Amino acid sequence: MNRKRIARIMRERDIRGATRRKHRSLTRPDKKAKPAPDLIGRDFHAERPGTKLVGDITCLPTAEGWLYLACWPDLATREVVGYAMADHHRADLAVDALDMAHGRSGLEPGCVIHSDRGSEYTSTRFTGRIRELRLRQSCGRTGSCFDNATAESFWALLKEEIGTRTWPDRATTRAEVFNFIETFYNRRRPRKHKTFGYPTPVETRQRHQHTLAA
């Protein structure tokens, strides 16, 4: 069909296409901080859970102001094992999400924690928590989204699924993000796995645990 006819039908039925809006990057590197080396090297695979996590922070618009979301997906399962939301994107936001990941999934000592070089991740607060948990920090290069491609891909999926509209308040946004992560993404969305076929992230973790137990 002619695209003008499609446009007319969409107008008549009040149908609108979903588009990704461009936002300025939240990454603000601290020029005085010394970033950790890149231990990932764009190899976004892990043999077992709890050995490699990638993280990032994004913002969602609400009528009350921005809601900032920090997440830590596990590269072995793609399960979001830790996340936190707040009205700020200080280092505490990244630390809270990391603490959830550590308590929830039992990260192995020496687990690689990969992020960009934003000041939240190079701060004394965050690097100190990394040492306390006996983990290893990794940072990609400044201005290179490909060095943290898995985290960027997760943001794109989240915003396609829940939309990029302005929510009426932060509480509503929190509920939608929680529902997306816990109900849909972790437990219902299958992905291709070279060994297990097409399991969800939670099923992938469970199968890894079963294999290790066996």
Side-chain angles (χ1 to χ4, degrees):
M1 292 184 180
N2 186 288
R3 67 183 183 89
K4 292 183 179 179
R5 183 178 182 186
I6 298 296
R8 177 178 57 78
I9 294 173
M10 289 178 68
R11 285 195 304 272
E12 292 171 353
R13 289 161 176 76
D14 195 26
I15 299 173
R16 294 179 177 83
T19 59
R20 298 179 189 174
R21 294 190 301 175
K22 293 184 179 180
H23 294 295
R24 63 184 179 84
S25 173
L26 288 176
T27 304
R28 293 293 181 270
D30 183 349
K31 296 180 180 180
K32 296 181 180 179
K34 183 179 179 181
D38 186 350
L39 304 178
I40 293 287
R42 299 188 182 181
D43 178 14
F44 300 107
H45 297 88
E47 292 299 322
R48 61 187 185 278
T51 58
K52 286 184 182 180
L53 303 187
V54 294
D56 199 6
I57 297 174
T58 193
C59 57
L60 301 169
T62 81
E64 296 177 337
W66 293 108
L67 177 70
Y68 297 94
L69 168 64
C71 284
W72 292 103
D74 189 309
L75 289 180
T77 63
R78 293 303 195 269
E79 180 182 8
V80 177
V81 293
Y83 56 94
M85 291 173 270
D87 60 359
H88 63 80
H89 59 99
R90 297 189 293 271
D92 286 340
L93 180 65
V95 171
D96 288 345
L98 181 62
D99 284 343
M100 179 182 181
H102 186 267
R104 185 180 189 178
S105 60
L107 305 183
E108 294 185 9
C111 172
V112 175
I113 304 298
H114 183 77
S115 67
D116 57 32
R117 297 189 179 189
S119 58
E120 302 88 353
Y121 300 110
T122 58
S123 66
T124 303
R125 174 88 171 88
F126 186 78
T127 56
R129 189 59 178 151
I130 288 280
R131 289 192 296 271
E132 290 173 3
L133 298 176
R134 296 188 298 161
L135 309 174
R136 291 186 296 162
Q137 187 175 15
S138 169
C139 289
R141 292 170 295 178
T142 301
S144 177
C145 62
F146 299 106
D147 287 357
N148 203 13
T150 298
E152 297 289 348
S153 176
F154 174 73
W155 293 146
L157 176 65
L158 180 144
K159 292 176 181 180
E160 282 182 354
E161 292 293 333
I162 68 174
T164 55
R165 67 187 187 281
T166 299
W167 283 269
D169 50 57
R170 292 190 177 99
T172 301
T173 317
R174 285 174 181 270
E176 290 207 27
V177 170
F178 175 86
N179 184 64
F180 170 79
I181 293 175
E182 295 291 1
T183 303
F184 172 70
Y185 182 81
N186 280 348
R187 289 175 170 80
R188 290 172 51 196
R189 184 176 187 270
R191 57 175 297 271
K192 186 177 181 180
H193 190 279
K194 63 180 181 180
T195 303
F196 303 135
Y198 288 87
T200 66
V202 167
E203 289 172 342
T204 305
R205 171 171 51 80
Q206 292 170 344
R207 294 184 188 184
H208 271 290
Q209 292 171 343
H210 178 76
T211 301
L212 290 173

